[in-house]
Amino acid sequence: RSYLNAVTRGAAHYAPGEQVNEPGWIKLNTNESPLPPSPNVFRVMAELVGQGDILRKYSHPLGEPLLSALADYWQLGKENIIVTNGSDEALTLICRATLGAERPAVFPAVTYSLSRTLVTNAGAAYTEIPMVERTGQPYGIDIEALAKCSEAVVFLANPNAITGEYIDAGRLAGIIAASKSLWVVDEAYNDFAGPEATMMKYITQLENLVVTRTFSKTHALAGLRVGYLASGNQELMQGLLAHKDSYNEDALATRLAAAALADKAWHERTIRAVLAGRDFLRAELIALGFECFDSEANYILARAPEKPGAPAVVRRLRDYKILVRHYAGSPFADCIRFSVGAEGENAKLIGSLKEILKSL
C-alpha cells in the first residue's frame, strides 16, 4: 500500500554533482567559488561565537539583517525581495505558487536540470524548447521560440546552466515586456557576465519578471545555502510568502551573507580571478584539442577530442583526484564541463590532461 499522493508517486529526483568527503581532491564539477569568502564573513563569524541567543531564539522570519542589506544593495523596497534557503528554494516557491495541472512551464532543453524536478514535483507538465546551433555555441537558447510560448511560466537561466550562454538583459527585457507569461530568470552565474548583465534593474518595471540569485558562486557561500528572489509584482510576492517556511533561513547565514554582501571589493576580486582562470582554461583546453563553447559563467563546456573521448578522460581524471562534470546519456555526452578553479587547481587540471592525452 502506498501512502504517497499522485504527484509524489510521479516525483522526479535531482542528481547533484558528486561531493567527496576526503582531502586531496580538486572539485571542478559543481561551479563553486575558487576563492574563500570575504574576510568580513570570518570577522562576523568570530563575533557571533558565544552569543547564545543567536541559536536559542528563532531567526527572523523574513531573513533580517540580510533582507535590509539586499534592499539597500539593489535600491529596492524590502517588499520586493524574499530571502531564501539558496536560490533552489526560491525556484521551489515559485513552482509551488504558480504551477499546477492546468498551468504548465517551459524552458530550454539544455538548462539547469533541477527545473524538470521542481516543475514535475509541483504537479505540472513542461515543454522543452530544442536548442539551436550557432557560432561558438552548438546548444544555444532559442529565445525567439521561448518568446512565442503560451505556457504559464518560462524558466530561463541567464547565463544558461551547463552551457554558459548569456542573453543580453536589454533584449530580454523587451521580450518579457511583450509576453503574457511569468518569466523566472535564474541569475546564479550572472555576475560573471558583467556589471550590467543583471535583470534586477527591471524588477519594478516588469510585473511578469522574477529574478532568483544566490550567494553560492561569487560570494563563496555555497555551504551556507543563501539565496533570494525579487519581483515587483506584490500579488505574486504575497503568494510566494504563503508557501515560504516560517523561518526558512537561519540566523547565522543571514548575518554572514550580509557581511559578504558588504565587501564589494572582495566580490569584484573573486569575479576577476574567475574570469582570468576561465581565459586560461579556454586557451589551454583548445591547445589540447578540446572544442570550447562560449561561456559567460564560471565554467566551460567543451567537446573532448574524439580519441580518447569524454568518458575516458573523466575516468582518468579521477585517478588524479580531479572531479569534472560529465552528462552521460545526454545529447552532449561527448562534452565535459570544467568549473574554473583556483590558479593552482587550473594548472593541475591542464597538466593532468596533458599526461592523460599522451597516454591514451
Side-chain angles (χ1 to χ4, degrees):
R1 179 179 178 180
S2 175
Y3 294 96
L4 302 176
N5 61 30
V7 171
T8 307
R9 287 197 297 272
H13 289 262
Y14 171 69
E18 181 180 357
Q19 302 293 327
V20 288
N21 294 312
E22 59 181 79
W25 286 82
I26 294 177
K27 286 186 75 274
L28 303 179
N29 63 326
T30 49
N31 307 330
E32 293 143 333
S33 174
L35 269 63
S38 159
N40 276 5
V41 173
F42 299 103
R43 175 182 55 78
V44 172
M45 186 183 297
E47 292 173 355
L48 293 175
V49 172
Q51 295 188 29
D53 280 356
I54 294 292
L55 300 180
R56 182 176 65 82
K57 296 181 178 179
Y58 284 112
S59 59
H60 192 281
L62 296 179
E64 292 288 11
L66 180 57
L67 176 61
S68 292
L70 286 167
D72 182 64
Y73 184 88
W74 291 110
Q75 292 298 286
L76 290 169
K78 289 192 286 187
E79 69 276 8
N80 297 130
I81 298 171
I82 297 177
V83 174
T84 58
N85 190 254
S87 59
D88 286 351
E89 189 203 11
L91 295 170
T92 301
L93 293 177
I94 293 165
C95 288
R96 287 177 181 171
T98 66
L99 299 177
E102 304 301 322
R103 293 181 58 81
V106 62
F107 42 77
V110 177
T111 191
Y112 189 22
S113 59
L114 183 66
S115 301
R116 300 175 184 86
T117 300
L118 296 181
V119 171
T120 300
N121 293 356
Y126 61 81
T127 300
E128 295 181 303
I129 299 301
M131 312 308 284
V132 294
E133 185 172 355
R134 59 173 61 95
T135 302
Q137 185 51 260
Y139 303 104
I141 295 170
D142 191 342
I143 192 66
E144 291 80 11
L146 276 175
K148 294 176 183 177
C149 289
S150 59
E151 281 82 355
V153 183
V154 181
F155 288 91
L156 178 68
N158 196 34
N160 192 25
I162 303 177
T163 68
E165 178 188 11
Y166 168 72
I167 295 174
D168 178 76
R171 180 187 180 197
L172 188 54
I175 290 172
I176 294 174
S179 175
K180 294 182 179 179
S181 300
L182 176 67
W183 285 68
V184 180
V185 181
D186 179 4
E187 293 192 343
Y189 306 103
N190 191 267
D191 288 339
F192 300 111
E196 300 301 319
T198 181
M199 295 295 293
M200 289 292 285
K201 53 183 171 287
Y202 298 105
I203 286 298
T204 57
Q205 301 174 35
L206 299 170
E207 69 169 9
N208 60 331
L209 168 67
V210 182
V211 174
T212 63
R213 294 181 67 90
T214 180
F215 279 79
S216 296
K217 313 304 179 184
T218 52
H219 292 291
L221 295 176
L224 273 189
R225 313 307 304 127
V226 186
Y228 56 102
L229 64 83
S231 174
N233 187 320
Q234 286 309 300
E235 179 189 29
L236 175 64
M237 293 295 277
Q238 289 303 310
L240 294 171
L241 286 171
H243 285 272
K244 184 185 76 66
D245 289 344
S246 300
Y247 307 100
N248 65 320
E249 190 57 280
D250 72 70
L252 297 178
T254 53
R255 286 162 174 77
L256 297 180
L261 188 69
D263 195 343
K264 295 181 180 180
W266 189 269
H267 184 241
E268 292 169 359
R269 175 186 174 185
T270 300
I271 294 171
R272 288 195 304 270
V274 169
L275 297 186
R278 192 178 69 195
D279 289 344
F280 168 80
L281 284 183
R282 181 181 181 84
E284 294 292 329
L285 288 169
I286 290 174
L288 289 173
F290 287 82
E291 180 188 356
C292 294
F293 308 145
D294 292 345
S295 174
E296 294 297 325
N298 64 339
Y299 50 83
I300 296 173
L301 183 66
R303 182 172 287 123
E306 188 173 349
K307 292 183 179 180
V313 171
V314 173
R315 285 195 301 269
R316 285 298 309 277
L317 281 173
R318 292 187 67 89
D319 295 336
Y320 290 82
K321 287 197 159 186
I322 298 175
L323 294 179
V324 292
R325 197 70 182 265
H326 180 237
Y327 297 85
S330 73
F332 43 95
D334 57 348
C335 299
I336 301 171
R337 194 192 67 189
F338 300 94
S339 300
V340 177
E343 186 175 354
E345 293 174 330
N346 295 334
K348 177 68 181 298
L349 168 67
I350 297 302
S352 301
L353 286 173
K354 288 178 179 179
E355 292 181 8
I356 290 169
L357 294 175
K358 283 181 181 179
S359 66
L360 292 175

